[in-house]
Amino acid sequence: GRARVHDEDFLYGYIDTEGNLVVPCRYNQTDDYSEGLAVVEQNGKKGYIDLDGNEVTPIVYWDAQDFYNGLGCVQNEEGLYGYVDAKGREVIPCRFESADSFYGDVTPVCLDGSYGLIDKTGQFISATRYRSMGVCTPNLFYFYENGLCGFVDAGQNELTPARYDKMQGCRKGMVAVGQHGKYGYINELGEEVIPCIYDRVNWFDQGFARVA
């Protein structure tokens, strides 16, 4: 295990479970480790280090996200996104205008102003077509068309047409959605399991959610 610490100059490093300083305090900002790698920031640029403090990538990226499923999402100095593997190799070149982490086998990205899902080789699994996309779960993704929200699965098959005017995020496999000022929930299959009849809704926890 590793824990973040900082010195009197507020430079960050990491200690191990015995309190030994294993990564010197030399970074302006650091994140927790994910899959054995941590995002660090130095002089306004980001990169990845391993558990021993070795720089797996150069500290050259404008942005870098935690590793998921063997890949880290990075943004280059031109503002374009791509992905590096655990050895620091840019296995999916930085060519996307927007991108998210690989929480599953596919993830949404934007190319030439249009969104679609790519696999871990960087190939689109279907044609790009949406104005915006995001991740609900590894198998459920939201999209926006004409200001309304719908949902697709990991094969970019449309589960729910764009008919919701609000989407309040996902927890425990349930997504809170809004329609005409009322709220309900859909499940991971895109099914509206609780109709939009409530004025307010909250997250599900232990099988229950507060509503009003």
Side-chain angles (χ1 to χ4, degrees):
R2 298 287 186 267
R4 292 180 294 157
V5 296
H6 65 76
D7 61 15
E8 60 185 7
D9 295 320
F10 283 92
L11 294 176
Y12 289 80
Y14 295 86
I15 59 172
D16 62 18
T17 55
E18 296 179 350
N20 300 307
L21 187 65
V22 291
V23 180
C25 294
R26 62 188 178 209
Y27 297 106
N28 302 114
Q29 193 57 259
T30 57
D31 289 346
D32 292 331
Y33 276 89
S34 175
E35 298 188 5
L37 298 172
V39 177
V40 296
E41 181 178 333
Q42 197 170 50
N43 301 321
K45 298 295 179 67
K46 294 183 178 182
Y48 297 92
I49 62 170
D50 64 18
L51 291 168
D52 297 318
N54 300 308
E55 293 182 356
V56 176
T57 68
I59 314 299
V60 296
Y61 293 105
W62 275 13
D63 195 18
Q65 301 175 19
D66 288 344
F67 258 70
Y68 287 95
N69 291 302
L71 294 173
C73 183
V74 295
Q75 182 187 32
N76 67 12
E77 61 184 7
E78 296 175 347
L80 299 176
Y81 293 84
Y83 297 85
V84 297
D85 66 11
K87 294 184 179 180
R89 300 173 299 194
E90 199 170 288
V91 291
I92 300 177
C94 291
R95 67 189 185 103
F96 304 111
E97 293 129 40
S98 180
D100 211 328
S101 295
F102 273 94
Y103 298 107
D105 293 328
V106 296
T107 196
V109 298
C110 180
L111 183 66
D112 297 329
S114 185
Y115 280 79
L117 298 176
I118 60 167
D119 61 23
K120 290 183 179 179
T121 69
Q123 300 299 308
F124 283 96
I125 66 170
S126 187
T128 60
R129 54 170 292 189
Y130 300 114
R131 294 291 302 273
S132 178
M133 286 189 80
V135 181
C136 293
T137 76
N139 297 306
L140 183 67
F141 305 85
Y142 67 84
F143 67 87
Y144 276 90
E145 279 186 330
N146 301 318
L148 297 176
C149 178
F151 298 88
V152 298
D153 64 14
Q156 204 170 310
N157 303 300
E158 189 171 294
L159 302 175
T160 308
R163 65 185 184 210
Y164 298 105
D165 45 49
K166 288 191 177 179
M167 192 278 297
Q168 294 190 188
C170 178
R171 188 172 179 181
K172 308 293 185 183
M174 299 286 278
V175 183
V177 292
Q179 196 172 37
H180 310 307
K182 298 291 185 177
Y183 295 90
Y185 297 88
I186 68 164
N187 62 15
E188 282 194 279
L189 299 177
E191 300 166 334
E192 190 176 292
V193 291
I194 299 174
C196 294
I197 58 175
Y198 297 103
D199 293 323
R200 294 190 303 275
V201 295
N202 291 275
W203 298 115
F204 267 86
D205 187 30
Q206 298 183 15
F208 296 92
R210 289 184 298 130
V211 297

